Amino acid sequence: QVQLVESGGGLVQAGDSLRISCAASGRTFSTSFMAWFRQAPGKEREFVAGIRRSDGNTYYAESVKGRFTISGDNANNTVYLQMNSLKPEDTAVYYCAASGPGGIVLVAQTSYRYWGQGTQVTVSS
């Protein structure tokens, strides 16, 4: 089992930056990818960014490319999401997710075995 705990969410203004964190514990060696998803009120949960733990390759949704950066600290089993130039449409609950071993369909929620409880990010205009 892998446990994920997000932190760092909050209320910011449009144009501000925010970094959220995901601390993983348990059998973290068994996970090949970690990712951030988000869910806005009344909308489906969507993929935001992902990172392959073996080589640090990163992947982004088009809506956040160039503004958000995902990074990982394997030694401390922590994944970060640096969010710059935030927009009101970035307002959502952000969830950390971890896959099992092997290859996955990165953007599919069903690829991930473990989920955090979520952290709220609110961007005011």
Side-chain angles (χ1 to χ4, degrees), residues 53-94:
R53 298 185 74 245
S54 61
D55 58 13
N57 276 4
T58 58
Y59 310 86
Y60 297 94
E62 284 299 321
S63 59
V64 306
K65 198 172 290 185
R67 299 188 299 123
F68 290 11
T69 302
I70 186 171
S71 61
D73 180 350
N74 283 345
N76 293 310
N77 291 316
T78 302
V79 174
Y80 304 97
L81 186 67
Q82 177 68 43
M83 303 180 288
N84 298 330
S85 302
L86 281 161
K87 304 175 182 180
E89 51 263 43
D90 294 318
T91 295
V93 177
Y94 283 71

Side-chain angles (χ1 to χ4, degrees), residues 6 9 11 13 20 22 26 43-44 47 62 65 82 107 116 119:
E6 301 99 333
L11 172 64
Q13 293 188 332
I20 56 178
C22 172
K43 294 189 176 182
E44 297 289 321
F47 171 81
E62 284 299 321
K65 198 172 290 185
Q82 177 68 43
V107 302
T119 186

Side-chain angles (χ1 to χ4, degrees), residues 102-121:
I104 63 168
V105 176
L106 192 66
V107 302
Q109 295 183 56
T110 53
S111 293
Y112 298 87
R113 293 186 182 179
Y114 310 103
W115 293 84
Q117 81 288 353
T119 186
Q120 177 71 46
V121 173

